[in-house]
Amino acid sequence: MSIPSARGPAVPRDLLDNPLTAEERKLLDVYRLLRELAREAPTPCVAANVRAALAPIAIAVTDLGLSFEHLLDEGC
């Protein structure tokens, strides 16, 4: 989620409306990339390994309140 500002570009925010730190933005980027890879995995071994990497990242993202999504669609 981002909120536009009169002084500049939109500021990414967490679920509690706090601005994200640089580390939180990186973690959320990794999470989104892994979700994308999980949907597009070309082979079963890639899909399994991407899901294995995605699960703990998703827990961190949820614990920090950066995003809340169910990973059932990705098979996690």
Side-chain angles (χ1 to χ4, degrees):
M1 173 186 328
S2 296
I3 298 181
S5 169
R7 290 184 265 169
V11 176
R13 304 226 172 230
D14 65 14
L15 297 175
L16 298 174
D17 203 32
N18 298 314
L20 299 183
T21 65
E23 293 80 12
E24 289 171 336
R25 286 193 302 269
K26 288 177 187 176
L27 183 64
L28 198 52
D29 288 344
V30 167
Y31 171 74
R32 289 176 178 157
L33 285 170
L34 286 171
R35 282 197 63 146
E36 185 178 323
L37 280 172
R39 285 190 293 274
E40 300 171 0
T43 62
C45 67
V46 171
N49 284 290
V50 169
R51 285 192 305 265
L54 177 58
I57 297 296
I59 292 169
V61 165
T62 301
D63 286 352
L64 291 171
L66 306 180
S67 178
F68 181 76
E69 300 171 320
H70 293 283
L71 294 178
L72 296 176
D73 292 338
E74 277 78 16
C76 294

